[in-house]
Amino acid sequence: MAKHHPDLIFCRKQAGVAIGRLCEKCDGKCVICDSYVRPCTLVRICDECNYGSYQGRCVICGGPGVSDAYYCKECTIQEKDVSVLLTFPSDLSSFYLVTHCYPWKPPMRDGCPKIVNLGSSKTDLFYERKKYGFKKR
């Protein structure tokens, strides 16, 4: 969904240990490219995106999650999921702290893939339905 809607924004914070989930509607999609083929690598999200009422929610649309989210093989090959530290700190003591004291929190290259805004299409749908009254579909 994010690939086809350029107005959607990813969280992109450092991913933690929480595993991303998908709802029934989004089940089987790659989080980055919306592909349904060859799921490969498990999606990790940041602690803020998995806190409180957000726990267990769909990474793409925010609905109740029913299955684990995966990156497809193509996104894995393009290293959109790799645990690599891109920016090195100026002093080596903090680099040692980051790499050796937190092995359970791998830093992600592209960060947390959770979508944090609604997007213009959902916002427009809300106001369009509000204009004509909220009717069941």
Side-chain angles (χ1 to χ4, degrees), residues 5-67:
H5 297 279
D7 59 337
L8 295 177
I9 298 171
F10 289 108
C11 171
R12 297 295 187 205
K13 292 180 184 167
Q14 181 177 351
V17 296
I19 295 171
R21 306 282 289 169
L22 292 176
C23 64
E24 286 183 5
K25 183 180 76 171
C26 304
D27 190 17
K29 277 187 183 179
C30 173
V31 179
I32 303 295
C33 68
D34 300 334
S35 170
Y36 283 101
V37 295
R38 300 184 339 181
C40 184
T41 308
L42 203 57
V43 171
R44 303 278 180 176
I45 58 175
C46 69
D47 296 333
E48 288 182 26
C49 291
N50 195 44
Y51 181 75
S53 63
Y54 295 122
Q55 188 172 8
R57 293 289 184 162
C58 178
V59 175
I60 297 173
C61 68
V66 295
S67 66

Side-chain angles (χ1 to χ4, degrees), residues 14 83-92 94-96 98-99 107-109:
Q14 181 177 351
S83 302
V84 174
L85 190 64
L86 281 183
T87 57
F88 292 100
S90 59
D91 59 335
L92 292 177
S94 61
F95 175 72
Y96 180 80
V98 168
T99 57
M108 304 297 280
R109 173 168 291 175

Side-chain angles (χ1 to χ4, degrees), residues 40-137:
C40 184
T41 308
L42 203 57
V43 171
R44 303 278 180 176
I45 58 175
C46 69
D47 296 333
E48 288 182 26
C49 291
N50 195 44
Y51 181 75
S53 63
Y54 295 122
Q55 188 172 8
R57 293 289 184 162
C58 178
V59 175
I60 297 173
C61 68
V66 295
S67 66
D68 292 341
Y70 287 90
Y71 293 107
C72 68
K73 184 73 173 175
E74 185 178 337
C75 289
T76 304
I77 290 170
Q78 292 177 0
E79 297 180 344
K80 295 183 178 181
D81 68 319
V82 176
S83 302
V84 174
L85 190 64
L86 281 183
T87 57
F88 292 100
S90 59
D91 59 335
L92 292 177
S93 62
S94 61
F95 175 72
Y96 180 80
L97 179 78
V98 168
T99 57
H100 291 77
C101 295
Y102 301 109
W104 62 88
K105 283 182 148 182
M108 304 297 280
R109 173 168 291 175
D110 283 344
C112 174
K114 177 126 170 89
I115 295 172
V116 294
N117 67 338
L118 285 176
S120 62
S121 60
K122 280 196 176 183
T123 308
D124 293 344
L125 175 68
F126 173 79
Y127 285 112
E128 192 70 25
R129 288 181 65 206
K130 184 177 176 184
K131 183 167 64 172
Y132 296 114
F134 291 102
K135 298 175 186 168
K136 294 287 182 185
R137 293 183 189 184

